[in-house]
Amino acid sequence: MLKRQNPSTPEHSKDLAADGGALSMSHNDSRSFLNLSQLVLSAGQIKPSPALKHSKITYFEVEIVDVQSKKQICIVDKVPPASTLLDVKHKFHKACPQWYPSRVGLQLERNGPFLKDSVSIQSLAVSSIITLYFTDLGQQVGWTTFFLTEYTGPLLIYLLFYIRLSTIYDQVESRKNFRHPVVHLACFCHCLHYIRHLLETLFVHKFSEGHTPLKNMIKGCAFYWGFTSWIAYYINHPRYTPPSGNHFINVALAHQTNTEGNRTCFPSPTYNPFTWLFLLVSCPNYTYEAGSWISFTVMTQTLP
């Protein structure tokens, strides 16, 4: 027969105390976790991501005004801050198709300089509306086209005089007179000079701006083509008299010696002799250009 235990016995009191202690500890842990959570939340709100913070983009309106009449031509709206002036020119071209981007010149002030295509619109903005002054730059051509046209002309024109066309020289006189070797040498040097220019235009030159007015190409072609015709006419003429002193100058230069009997050489910053002029001038490209034409003049002994 089992004996019923008295609830008031010491063993039962110990059990109740243990259960009560466990409940008290669980309650304290919950309260501590709640206090810790409130502390973290009160330390600072969670910052929104930059994408959410800057989700609203401010657009600009660009007012295009004629620089002469001061009349408004059009308004280019909804221009993002990251856009460049070239982007504005493309949108302006859509509104006014007769002015393609390379023909459009934009100024921040009427008498100010033309702005570059790479300028950011945001850097020009004082308010949400930007006023730019428009100037028609006229018909434009690319710099590569400019130089290829300018240098191809002298190359072909000189060859036309070299073969002595019947429309230029008298054929009877051309067949009768013997061509001096310097005439062939001059043709070779002249063609090599402009072939080098053409190759540099295609593979070496880098242009900061993509276009130039067409009138500049016309002036450049008139200069190069005109002087080439003048030079080639006299050098390839049947009555051309070959030079006499050039041979002795070349012989003297080929046998240069110093006081000790050794061949002399110019001091150079590198092993490339074409870099020697850097000791005298900062950019010797036009020094070589002038020197080559002076040498050509001495070699051919022609006034043009």
Side-chain angles (χ1 to χ4, degrees):
M1 188 172 180
L2 297 175
K3 183 178 178 182
R4 181 181 297 177
Q5 294 183 354
N6 191 353
S8 60
T9 60
E11 292 79 7
H12 186 68
S13 298
K14 291 180 180 180
D15 293 340
L16 290 177
D19 294 338
L23 292 174
S24 177
M25 290 178 63
S26 176
H27 182 68
N28 290 337
D29 290 342
S30 300
R31 181 176 297 176
S32 300
F33 179 77
L34 180 60
N35 293 337
L36 180 62
S37 301
Q38 291 177 350
L39 179 63
V40 171
L41 293 176
S42 63
Q45 297 294 331
I46 299 176
K47 295 183 179 180
S49 61
L52 295 177
K53 184 178 180 180
H54 300 285
S55 59
K56 186 178 180 180
I57 301 177
T58 303
Y59 291 97
F60 294 102
E61 290 185 355
V62 180
E63 181 187 21
I64 308 295
V65 178
D66 185 80
V67 70
Q68 298 295 336
S69 62
K70 299 182 182 179
K71 293 181 179 179
Q72 183 187 97
I73 300 176
C74 73
I75 293 180
V76 181
D77 56 353
K78 293 186 178 180
V79 178
S83 299
T84 61
L85 201 68
L86 183 60
D87 298 328
V88 174
K89 288 183 178 181
H90 282 292
K91 291 186 177 182
F92 178 59
H93 175 56
K94 291 181 179 180
C96 304
Q98 68 271 27
W99 292 308
Y100 47 90
S102 62
R103 188 168 180 166
V104 175
L106 296 178
Q107 304 162 271
L108 197 59
E109 299 176 356
R110 290 189 64 194
N111 297 324
F114 290 110
L115 300 173
K116 294 184 177 181
D117 292 344
S118 58
V119 172
S120 173
I121 291 299
Q122 194 169 12
S123 64
L124 304 175
V126 180
S127 62
S128 59
I129 300 178
I130 305 172
T131 301
L132 297 177
Y133 294 93
F134 162 77
T135 300
D136 184 8
L137 300 178
Q139 290 185 337
Q140 304 286 304
V141 294
W143 278 108
T144 302
T145 303
F146 175 91
F147 285 113
L148 289 179
T149 305
E150 193 175 63
Y151 296 145
T152 303
L155 180 63
L156 299 179
I157 290 172
Y158 195 96
L159 292 175
L160 292 177
F161 283 92
Y162 176 75
I163 62 178
R164 292 181 176 176
L165 292 176
S166 59
T167 56
I168 302 176
Y169 303 113
D170 181 69
Q171 292 299 302
V172 176
E173 197 172 25
S174 298
R175 288 192 296 266
K176 183 175 61 175
N177 293 333
F178 172 74
R179 291 196 191 193
H180 194 273
V182 75
V183 175
H184 305 293
L185 180 61
C187 180
F188 173 77
C189 293
H190 191 277
C191 292
L192 184 64
H193 178 79
Y194 282 101
I195 289 174
R196 178 181 62 83
H197 274 309
L198 292 172
L199 294 177
E200 286 177 348
T201 300
L202 293 174
F203 303 108
V204 177
H205 290 170
K206 296 179 180 179
F207 307 108
S208 57
E209 296 293 339
H211 300 83
T212 186
L214 179 63
K215 61 181 180 181
N216 289 345
M217 189 179 76
I218 295 175
K219 290 189 293 186
C221 290
F223 175 82
Y224 277 90
W225 295 15
F227 270 100
T228 299
S229 302
W230 192 22
I231 293 171
Y233 176 79
Y234 285 100
I235 296 177
N236 296 285
H237 199 280
R239 298 181 184 180
Y240 170 73
T241 303
S244 58
N246 186 60
H247 171 71
F248 299 102
I249 295 175
N250 290 333
V251 172
L253 291 175
H255 297 85
Q256 274 188 326
T257 57
N258 56 17
T259 56
E260 298 177 356
N262 299 323
R263 292 183 60 83
T264 60
C265 61
F266 294 96
S268 59
T270 67
Y271 292 105
N272 185 355
F274 290 102
T275 63
W276 293 347
L277 279 181
F278 280 110
L279 293 173
L280 303 177
V281 293
S282 58
C283 295
N285 55 331
Y286 278 104
T287 308
Y288 279 117
E289 183 80 7
S292 64
W293 283 111
I294 292 173
S295 303
F296 190 84
T297 303
V298 173
M299 179 181 69
T300 58
Q301 296 289 298
T302 53
L303 177 63

